[in-house]
Amino acid sequence: MSKDRYIAAKQKWAEKQKARGVTARATAAADRLPPGQKLTTGFPVLDLGVQPSIPLPEWRLKVDGLVAKPATLSWDALQALPQVEDVSDFHCVTTWSKYDCRWGGVAFTTLYELVQPDPAAQFVYFTGYDGYSTNVSLAQCLDDDVLVATRFEGAPVTREHGGPARIIIPKLYAWKGAKFVSGITFLAADKLGFWEVRGYSNTADPWTEDRYA
Ligand SMILES: Nc1nc2c(c(=O)[nH]1)N[C@H]1C(S)=C(S)[C@@H](COP(=O)(O)O)O[C@H]1N2
Ligand SMILES: [Mo]
């Protein structure tokens, strides 16, 4: 099941790369702004009041859980993986949305391939250097636009926006994307994250205004 999604995502990537430069993304489509959202041109910062500073030589991303090959990636190891770019819209549950965010980094599917999750793994639990956590189904994570982002608009992701690396999951409300990401754990059973235990929706779909559980 997740294997099929994985393959489908990789296929979509190939098609997208081919189409790049040929097709322009539809702009300002009436159905582009999810219900209850307002468009912003700025980029608000939302965090727990802590913006940890992690020097790149000390930065690590631990990818573990129900996987055949757990990995602890250094900054250089992350940079050595295939790098991709994706332009996506960003929807925060506090009702602001930002269009056309150009993120660069490593596709989640690349990490999936690297650590080889067990078929029993169906959920992903993300942790951040600030103590944050959030949980997402594996199926959602295998979408081709899900990234470990290290670049925004061609420059390194700033500390306030979650650098050195943050998770981007464009199709879900942005709290599902951990800034200052430090860990990715593959799990058989779902485990609620920081906001999910505090009443936020577990599924977080902006199109159905799935904000609070
Ligand atoms: N580590 C961490 N990641 C986090 C958060 C946080 O507090 N800590 N806040 C989440 C929320 S609620 C949102 S809307 C986005 C905000 O990202 P931004 O500050 O770049 O706008 O990050 C998400 N990821
Ligand atoms: Mo948010």
Side-chain angles (χ1 to χ4, degrees):
M1 170 59 186
S2 44
K3 190 100 190 170
D4 294 346
R5 301 233 359 162
Y6 166 65
I7 292 163
K10 289 209 82 160
Q11 232 157 28
K12 252 169 90 183
W13 254 112
E15 284 157 21
K16 215 194 260 187
Q17 301 295 84
K18 257 189 276 173
R20 181 151 294 150
V22 187
T23 50
R25 185 181 181 124
T27 49
D31 60 357
R32 189 170 173 187
L33 192 64
Q37 295 291 108
K38 290 181 221 69
L39 189 59
T40 178
T41 47
F43 199 172
V45 171
L46 281 100
D47 54 42
L48 304 176
V50 196
Q51 294 174 352
S53 174
I54 307 109
L56 294 186
E58 284 156 41
W59 183 89
R60 294 290 181 277
L61 174 60
K62 201 172 169 198
V63 191
D64 61 7
L66 277 177
V67 300
K69 298 185 169 177
T72 300
L73 299 172
S74 66
W75 185 253
D76 289 347
L78 187 77
Q79 299 306 314
L81 293 171
Q83 304 289 310
V84 295
E85 260 196 358
D86 187 71
V87 177
S88 57
D89 296 346
F90 191 103
H91 308 296
C92 173
V93 70
T94 60
T95 75
W96 58 271
S97 290
K98 181 175 173 60
Y99 287 166
D100 291 323
C101 300
R102 183 161 60 94
W103 299 103
V106 173
F108 186 91
T109 51
T110 299
L111 291 184
Y112 178 88
E113 194 171 33
L114 186 78
V115 300
Q116 298 174 18
D118 188 277
Q122 292 299 323
F123 298 93
V124 184
Y125 187 80
F126 296 93
T127 47
Y129 279 99
D130 59 345
Y132 191 76
S133 57
T134 186
N135 58 296
V136 182
S137 75
L138 176 60
Q140 294 274 4
C141 292
L142 291 176
D143 221 327
D144 64 326
D145 53 9
V146 176
L147 304 185
V148 178
T150 55
R151 302 185 68 77
F152 177 70
E153 301 299 344
V157 172
T158 59
R159 175 155 69 133
E160 57 176 1
H161 287 299
R166 72 176 297 168
I167 304 297
I168 291 295
I169 307 176
K171 292 189 181 72
L172 302 181
Y173 282 124
W175 88 78
K176 291 288 188 181
K179 293 163 54 164
F180 326 108
V181 65
S182 59
I184 301 178
T185 304
F186 290 81
L187 300 171
D190 206 3
K191 175 180 170 184
L192 299 182
F194 184 90
W195 286 121
E196 290 82 5
V197 301
R198 289 167 175 79
Y200 280 56
S201 150
N202 196 21
T203 40
D205 172 20
W207 296 97
T208 54
E209 284 207 71
D210 186 13
R211 299 173 193 269
Y212 308 104

